[in-house]
Amino acid sequence: MKKALSALAALSLPALLHASEANLEMPAGFASDSKILYWGFAVVLLGMLFGYYQFYRVKKLKVHASMLEMGNVIFKTCSTYLKQQGKFLGILFLFIGAAIALYFGVLEGMEIYKVLLILAWTVVGVLGSYLVAWFGVRMNTFANSRMAFASLRRKPLDLLNIPLSAGMSIGVLLICVELVLMLTILLCMPGDLAGSCFIGFAIGESLGASALRIAGGIFTKIADIGSDLMKVVFKIGEDDPRNPGVIADCTGDNAGDSIGPTADGFETYGVTGVALVSFILLAVDPQYQTQLLVWIFVMRILGVVSSILSYYINGAIAKAKYSKADDLDFEKPLTSLVWITSILSIIATFATSYFLLKDLGHNYWLGLSIIISCGTLGAALIPEITKWFTSPTSTHVNDVVETSRQGGASLNILSGLVAGNFGSFWTGMVFFVLMLGAFLASTEFGMANIFSEYHSIFAFGLVAFGMLGMGPVTIAVDSYGPVTDNAQSVYELSLIEDDKEKAKKEIEDEFGFTPDFEKAKYYLEANDGAGNTFKATAKPVLIGTAVAGATTMIFSLILMIKETLGIEPAQILTLLNPYSILGFLLGGCVVFWFTGSSMQAVTTGANRAVEYIKKNIKLDSNAPKKADIAKSQKVVEICTEYAQRGMINIFIAIFCFALGFACLSSPASIGGDDAVCLFVSYLISIAVFGLFQAVFMANAGGAWDNAKKVVEVDLKAKGTDLHDASVVGDTVGDPFKDTSSVALNPIIKFTTLFGVLAMEIAISDDFKAIAPYVGIVFVLIAVYFVYRSFYKMTSK
């Protein structure tokens, strides 16, 4: 692996670092004109205190010793996995750090303190993604055992509040940490180095998030499939502790649904911000830059405030409605939280924009408010659309169940594919309407006066920005899922039902209430269905931000082409240019290869895991009915091994494709200046194909997952042929929704960010003559790793 990483660093980093010289200096007088951000800094620190307070609230909840023990076991296995990933990131960063030092310190002759400063912010970016992942998994593993125990009290409102408090803790703390770091760069770094520091920070967090998201997605589904198939093979329960795959599955739930999304959310928030800051500094009239930079960051701070206020408002409403309820539709209060946050955020956007931007004249404040509110509205609308295809109460999910009655696993899978396809259509239509609205607003309010002819690009970037305005709540409802999922497992693994009378007496004596075992399992399974739904709703939002934000990054590429080659983009960026179509084809190829290779890693790893579990599962009556930690750790090792093997193939291929296609787009290629269009089209294609492929896979996977939940909870049909069919469908959906679809988010962002930098080298005067030949080499290397991603990952 070290040789592969070394080759990767040597091939890619000169291009990556070259563009960090971009003249992204802060506008003159920025420090004196941005004092409001210092108050914002204080507000963000208070937000961090809120996040820690929620962490403390969950941690101090009482829990039975057996459940506490299982929660700690899961956290320890998660820790082992994260340490392995940390070593991987450390090795990769050694090469990146050495290249940064060589480039700036030796080749550019930059002063040592400047080199160290850029290196430091790159480290901060990597550590930011990595450490928020640690916090997320620690929070969730505290919450899962507390929730498992709380289910025995027969108070369903507690089962809503525990995972939601945990999710808000993660969401608010994650975004506040991101804001603190970005505000530190903005307010404290030297003006001539701020741009380089932002780029170093973005590279670092993108590296960390991509690795954790891709590997986590592969890991979780190897474990999940390996564990789930035992239910069909041996007719055992969901979380039978004798199954060595169960603890690995719990670890995977956190690796894929907590570690990956937390790091991904951190990076998404940061990279989108860096893209907009760069746009303002590169394309906006200097007289407007300070006001717009201040506005951008105040909007983000208000998003945190709105999310916290909405959380308390929604909590009060839920308490009034459900405090005495014996049953609860867990989706309803989660839905109301999303809408309350969206409405409050939009109101705050208009009010604050008027206060900050009214002096610009021409009602620009109104136009910008409408544009950003399109994104905020989208963050509430898209989950509603997604629920049509993934909620246990939806027609599509119930159709998956009904077709499975007679058609078994075959029709189950076909119905899930239908849900995925329809979901892509309607989600795509929502994105179309939102981005069209943003474009029309930018035109109607004369944004060209501020943002030149590229005002529509900035509008699209603001849509992504608006989607993230209610980021704490989006991340909170996404984090809700792994807590509810693991709570079920902790309940079963604790063996609390083995001697109910003894457990009942212990709980009555120590905790002062009488447990209801049957109702507890019902609550946990029903809440897991809500968790599945809201995990599914967060995915299209994050994917949408990647696609909308990618347009802003692609703008940087177009602007750089114009300045470097001295040609008007409109002359070559046209459908009449054949290289446009060729670029679209290449982007589609890479997206479909990526989804296949990531699923291949899952397939091969799951095959190995199932083989090991079958040989080592002990179901005879004399075998102890408890988890075998040593065997469970072996399954975790198998999952980690194939996660890292799959990731390194994907990572090197993605790097080399970006570099290779950029170099082949040099004006020295066969097509001359027209060839430049190849790479721009490639990036657009990655974003568009990636959006629809990701949404299709996420919705199909969510439909299969909750169809199984309907069979288990509503129909109480565990152990039947119908249940077996639903389990098979769910195992197909697992890598769809939790591996390939979610990993396309960092793939889109990384490819566009990295691609802009690679293209600058490819068309530079000193390199463009040889670029086509170098490009052929890069593409051949990428194709080799495409070959490896299947033929070196087969099950033989």
Side-chain angles (χ1 to χ4, degrees), residues 207-465:
L207 170 67
S210 297
L212 292 173
R213 185 56 130 162
I214 295 169
I218 295 171
F219 182 109
T220 182
K221 295 303 105 178
I222 293 173
D224 200 355
I225 293 171
S227 177
D228 277 359
L229 286 178
M230 296 305 102
K231 293 187 291 186
V232 177
V233 174
F234 295 110
K235 301 294 183 183
I236 59 177
E238 175 88 20
D239 295 298
D240 192 312
R242 295 170 296 179
N243 179 356
V246 170
I247 289 179
D249 186 20
C250 294
T251 305
D253 287 336
N254 286 290
D257 295 334
S258 177
I259 292 169
T262 305
D264 190 10
F266 183 81
E267 181 231 11
T268 297
Y269 207 78
V271 170
T272 305
V274 169
L276 288 175
V277 169
S278 300
F279 184 101
I280 291 170
L281 296 178
L282 288 171
V284 173
D285 189 317
Q287 66 176 313
Y288 301 120
Q289 287 180 353
T290 296
Q291 281 178 284
L292 289 172
L293 286 171
V294 169
W295 174 72
I296 284 287
F297 279 92
V298 170
M299 287 295 100
R300 289 212 145 165
I301 294 165
L302 281 176
V304 175
V305 174
S306 298
S307 296
I308 294 173
L309 287 176
S310 301
Y311 168 73
Y312 282 116
I313 293 170
N314 189 68
I317 294 171
K319 185 176 181 180
K321 291 176 67 174
Y322 307 118
S323 60
K324 296 181 180 179
D326 190 51
D327 212 341
L328 174 61
D329 181 347
F330 293 100
E331 287 190 16
K332 288 184 177 179
L334 294 175
T335 299
S336 66
L337 173 62
V338 170
W339 278 104
I340 290 169
T341 309
S342 180
I343 293 168
L344 275 184
S345 296
I346 290 172
I347 292 171
T349 294
F350 279 88
T352 308
S353 296
Y354 174 78
F355 175 74
L356 292 176
L357 302 178
K358 64 180 185 295
D359 294 339
L360 293 181
H362 302 288
N363 286 329
Y364 291 137
W365 71 270
L366 182 58
L368 290 170
S369 297
I370 291 171
I371 294 169
I372 202 171
S373 296
C374 285
T376 308
L377 181 62
L381 272 178
I382 291 168
E384 289 300 313
I385 299 296
T386 304
K387 284 193 287 185
W388 294 356
F389 309 98
T390 60
S391 172
T393 60
S394 73
T395 303
H396 276 278
V397 169
N398 281 280
D399 187 62
V400 175
V401 175
E402 289 305 313
T403 56
S404 304
R405 291 182 184 277
Q406 302 301 324
S410 296
L411 292 188
N412 175 285
I413 292 169
L414 288 175
S415 293
L417 294 175
V418 170
N421 282 300
F422 272 80
S424 288
F425 171 80
W426 287 112
T427 304
M429 291 297 290
V430 171
F431 278 115
F432 168 78
V433 171
L434 293 173
M435 296 178 78
L436 175 63
F439 164 69
L440 293 176
S442 71
T443 303
E444 180 66 26
F445 287 90
M447 296 297 174
N449 296 329
I450 299 179
F451 304 110
S452 70
E453 67 268 34
Y454 301 106
H455 58 92
S456 61
I457 302 296
F458 188 69
F460 292 158
L462 279 182
V463 171
F465 188 85

Side-chain angles (χ1 to χ4, degrees), residues 634-653:
K634 179 61 179 177
V635 179
V636 170
E637 287 178 17
I638 292 171
C639 296
T640 304
E641 175 192 349
Y642 282 89
Q644 292 193 336
R645 284 178 59 183
M647 184 182 68
I648 195 62
N649 288 328
I650 290 168
F651 223 73
I652 294 179

Side-chain angles (χ1 to χ4, degrees), residues 441-503:
S442 71
T443 303
E444 180 66 26
F445 287 90
M447 296 297 174
N449 296 329
I450 299 179
F451 304 110
S452 70
E453 67 268 34
Y454 301 106
H455 58 92
S456 61
I457 302 296
F458 188 69
F460 292 158
L462 279 182
V463 171
F465 188 85
M467 286 182 181
L468 293 170
M470 50 189 287
V473 165
T474 300
I475 293 167
V477 297
D478 187 37
S479 297
Y480 191 95
V483 176
T484 58
D485 197 354
N486 266 206
Q488 281 188 285
S489 301
V490 168
Y491 185 93
E492 296 294 338
L493 290 167
S494 70
L495 303 177
I496 200 164
E497 289 193 8
D498 269 17
D499 190 338
K500 290 184 179 180
E501 289 303 316
K502 179 183 176 183

Side-chain angles (χ1 to χ4, degrees), residues 645-679:
R645 284 178 59 183
M647 184 182 68
I648 195 62
N649 288 328
I650 290 168
F651 223 73
I652 294 179
I654 290 294
F655 264 104
C656 291
F657 273 133
L659 288 163
F661 294 146
C663 289
L664 289 176
S665 300
S666 165
S669 290
I670 296 173
D673 286 347
D674 285 348
V676 176
C677 187
L678 177 78
F679 193 62

Side-chain angles (χ1 to χ4, degrees), residues 1-13 16-17 84-100 119 122-123 126 203-212 214 644 647-652 655 750 754:
M1 180 166 62
K2 289 183 179 180
K3 289 182 179 179
L5 291 172
S6 179
L8 170 62
L11 289 169
S12 63
L13 280 164
L16 183 66
L17 296 169
Q84 285 292 105
Q85 291 302 95
K87 292 175 183 176
F88 179 85
L89 286 171
I91 294 170
L92 186 55
F93 179 77
L94 287 177
F95 298 112
I96 291 175
I100 289 174
L119 272 172
T122 310
V123 172
V126 176
I203 290 170
E205 62 181 352
S206 185
L207 170 67
S210 297
L212 292 173
I214 295 169
Q644 292 193 336
M647 184 182 68
I648 195 62
N649 288 328
I650 290 168
F651 223 73
I652 294 179
F655 264 104
F750 183 82
F754 178 73

